[in-house]
């Protein structure tokens, strides 16, 4: 018999190397069609009688409707918080308080997958980020501050420390569950009770957290979660029986809040906008720096107050850095937030998408060179391609103003002195990044940058033990670590 000639097998490189879809399942997620307010340990229909929709920004479809708290509802929530502060929480031994906080932390871990999926559905962030960053860090904050509850005597050794009373907490839509954890954990660990308002586009994980809080047996009224938009937040700010306002959001609203509480006894912390300088020196590990630039600006669609939105590249390496950056941008996958391959999910809302588009127009009109990756984006939902501007100047609006989207402004520099001058020439002062091989250069630059958090040879790293907050128009007060306890206590001298 004639031997059959073996067919030669060749690898065909001329095919598409796209990833197959890898969608995370929604089957385990339990959501109600309608959510009431969480006041005094119970879900209660709003006195206002009003509800509003929260949608999925990737599909534009309604997920659920959520109560809109009016002035009477805010009053009920504050009353519940005051009552539980006076009669229960402030009377309870600190070690007992910490047990509840540990319990909340563990319950978040147990239901991490459900939280991650809901976070991505309600706000548009990629599942990889909600699963690996938002949810584990939220649990870590509760764990960390649970440990502080019975150590208040060490907050200011030798001095008496006591809670303020009722804290009103208003949070934004970019890290909904994580911001709830940042706010609630230190406040209740240090003996306060709280009324928390999530942002109107992303209320669902806070309401899920309310379910966990209810199951944890935390005494009624220690944590109250009320939903609504700016008017609800304003009613909290003006409420006379709130001792402290903790706010994270836009600089404009931060200023309104500051004006509203001037001359009252209320304390406040404000974590506002940013426009961070990410500085690449010629001696940096270039490929690593390119990854850091990508992570700095495209993490969470650029909806990050500490995003590295101003890139400064030393002139001698600017051509290669920009070329590698553009190549890397081409590989980013924009699309379904629930797909595990997705790098950039949906823009949080139509309003925010319009704002980003408007800024890109402004950048082009100002004479900037706009580059966008050529990736496909879904036809439905709010999506935006990774974008960068070169040929911009210090005075360009895309350089000076917070865009809060996947848009990077690139400038070059020659000397250390020049880049420090340029980096500080901005109304904000929240964060920054420095990439260099030289430790001495890191110290020289970081000690002169006016920013609350500066990363060296990395970017966007967070830890509950580490303080976070800004200078200038980026706000005041710190969250995280021991610093995060201080704004919630009175220290007797
Ligand atoms: P925003 O500041 O209006 O919203 C943040 C929170 O404040 C939400 O819970 C909102 O309901 C509440 N709020 C709104 N008006 C209020 C008022 N008068 N009194 C009390 N609470 C009030 O932010 P918005 O309009 O959603 O986003 C606009 C821009 O703000 C973004 O494009 C971005 O540049 C910036 N921003 C910055 C954030 C940060 O983390 N630094 C977070 C969110 C937005
Ligand atoms: Mg939503």
């Amino acid at each position: 018999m004639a031997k059959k000639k073996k067919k030669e097998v060749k690898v065909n490189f001329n095919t598409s190397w796209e990833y197959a879809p890898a969608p995370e399942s929604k089957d385990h997620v339990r959501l109600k069609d309608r959510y009431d307010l969480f006041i005094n340990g119970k879900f209660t229909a709003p006195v206002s009688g009003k509800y509003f929709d929260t949608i999925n920004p990737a599909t534009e479809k309604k997920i659920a409707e959520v109560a809109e708290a009016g002035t009477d509802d805010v009053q009920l929530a504050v009353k519940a918080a005051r009552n539980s502060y006076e009669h229960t929480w402030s009377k309870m031994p600190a070690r007992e308080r910490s047990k509840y906080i540990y319990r909340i932390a563990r319950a978040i871990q147990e239901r991490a997958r459900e939280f991650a999926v809901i976070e991505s559905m309600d706000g548009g962030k990629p599942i990889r980020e909600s699963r690996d960053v938002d949810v584990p860090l939220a649990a870590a904050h509760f764990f960390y501050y649970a440990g502080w509850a019975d150590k208040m005597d060490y907050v200011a050794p030798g001095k008496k420390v006591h809670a303020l009373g009722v804290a009103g907490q208003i949070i934004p839509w970019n890290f909904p569950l994580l911001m709830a954890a940042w706010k609630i954990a230190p406040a209740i660990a240090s003996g306060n009770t709280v009324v928390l308002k999530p942002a109107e586009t992303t209320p669902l994980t806070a309401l899920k957290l309310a379910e966990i809080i209810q199951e944890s047996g935390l005494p009624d009224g220690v944590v109250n979660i009320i939903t609504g938009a700016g008017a609800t937040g304003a009613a909290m700010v003006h409420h006379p029986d709130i001792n402290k306002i903790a706010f994270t959001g836009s600089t404009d609203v931060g200023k309104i809040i500051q004006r509203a509480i001037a001359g009252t006894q209320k304390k406040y912390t404000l974590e506002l906008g940013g426009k961070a300088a990410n500085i690449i020196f010629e001696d940096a590990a270039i490929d690593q720096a390119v990854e850091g630039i990508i992570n700095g600006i495209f993490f969470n669609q650029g909806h990050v107050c500490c995003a590295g939105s101003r890139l400064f590249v030393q002139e001698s390496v600017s051509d290669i850095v920009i070329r590698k950056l553009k190549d890397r941008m081409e590989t980013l996958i924009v699309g379904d937030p629930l797909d595990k391959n997705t790098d950039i999910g949906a823009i949080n809302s139509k309003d925010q998408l319009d704002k980003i588009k408007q800024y890109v127009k402004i950048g082009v009109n100002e004479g900037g060179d706009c580059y966008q990756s050529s990736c496909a984006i879904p036809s439905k939902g709010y999506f935006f391609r990774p974008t960068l501007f070169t040929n911009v100047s210090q005075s360009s609006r895309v350089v000076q103003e917070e865009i809060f989207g996947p848009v990077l402004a690139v400038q070059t520099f020659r000397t250390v002195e020049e880049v420090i001058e340029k980096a500080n020439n901005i109304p904000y002062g929240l964060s920054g990044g420095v990439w260099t091989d030289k430790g001495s250069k890191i110290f020289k630059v970081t000690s002169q940058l006016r920013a609350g958090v500066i990363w060296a040879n990395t970017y966007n790293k967070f830890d509950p033990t580490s303080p976070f907050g800004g200078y200038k128009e980026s706000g005041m007060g710190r969250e995280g670590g021991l610093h995060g306890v201080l704004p919630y206590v009175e220290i007797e001298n």
Side-chain angles (χ1 to χ4, degrees), residues 169-175 179 197-202 228-238 245 247-254 256-257 260 271-274 302-306 348-349 351-352 355-356 359 401-405 428 430 468 473-474:
Q169 308 182 313
I170 301 167
I171 59 171
W173 41 262
N174 51 346
F175 293 92
M179 288 301 111
K197 190 195 85 62
E200 52 272 35
T201 58
T202 54
T232 309
M236 291 166 64
V237 170
H238 287 105
I245 290 288
F247 172 78
T248 300
S250 61
T251 296
D252 288 347
V253 173
I256 294 173
I257 291 178
E271 204 266 272
L272 309 175
H303 302 329
V304 184
C305 47
C306 53
N348 186 267
S349 64
D351 283 353
Q352 190 60 30
K355 177 179 166 182
I356 296 166
Y359 266 111
E401 297 173 22
E402 184 180 51
I403 302 173
F404 226 59
Y428 296 111
L430 187 57
F468 184 91
E473 295 206 1
S474 291

Side-chain angles (χ1 to χ4, degrees), residues 158-169:
K159 294 181 179 170
K160 267 206 156 5
V161 163
H162 44 83
L164 299 175
V166 176
Q169 308 182 313

Side-chain angles (χ1 to χ4, degrees), residues 376-409:
I377 56 174
S379 53
K380 198 137 185 78
Y382 314 132
F383 292 92
F384 199 78
R385 289 190 178 83
T387 302
L388 69 77
F389 274 99
T390 48
N391 200 21
V392 289
S393 66
Q394 274 296 104
S395 59
S396 304
R397 285 185 64 190
V398 290
V399 169
Q400 287 291 321
E401 297 173 22
E402 184 180 51
I403 302 173
F404 226 59
V407 181
L408 178 67

Side-chain angles (χ1 to χ4, degrees), residues 8 40 54 60-61 68 74 83 88 111-112 200 207 230 276 313 349 359 372 399 416 425 427 446 453-454 472 479:
E8 199 182 344
N40 210 23
T54 185
E60 301 176 41
K61 287 206 183 100
E68 183 183 326
V74 171
N83 193 40
T88 315
R111 286 167 66 177
E200 52 272 35
L207 292 163
V313 193
S349 64
Y359 266 111
Q372 293 189 307
V399 169
V416 174
N425 178 8
T446 54
V453 184
I454 304 166
K472 301 196 274 187
E479 294 180 293

Side-chain angles (χ1 to χ4, degrees), residues 417-431:
E417 288 68 30
E418 179 192 350
V419 77
I420 291 170
E421 184 79 26
K422 282 180 167 171
N424 284 333
N425 178 8
I426 192 100
Y428 296 111
L430 187 57
S431 60

Side-chain angles (χ1 to χ4, degrees), residues 255-330:
K255 288 179 182 173
I256 294 173
I257 291 178
Q258 214 170 14
R259 266 182 240 122
I261 63 188
T264 71
Q265 297 290 314
K266 282 194 189 95
K267 290 190 183 290
Y268 62 94
T269 39
L270 305 171
E271 204 266 272
L272 309 175
K275 190 82 185 180
N278 201 4
I279 303 169
I280 318 297
F281 285 101
E282 60 187 359
D283 55 19
I286 297 294
D287 288 344
Q288 208 178 312
V290 168
E291 280 309 302
I293 298 165
I294 293 278
N295 170 42
I297 184 62
F298 300 125
F299 175 61
N300 200 30
Q301 296 72 244
H303 302 329
V304 184
C305 47
C306 53
S309 48
R310 285 184 301 153
L311 177 65
F312 289 99
V313 193
Q314 200 154 17
E315 208 171 83
S316 49
V317 291
S318 71
D319 285 350
I320 184 164
V321 169
I322 292 166
R323 182 173 59 71
K324 286 188 177 225
L325 188 56
K326 287 178 175 173
D327 286 350
R328 182 68 177 91
M329 280 164 70
E330 270 308 302

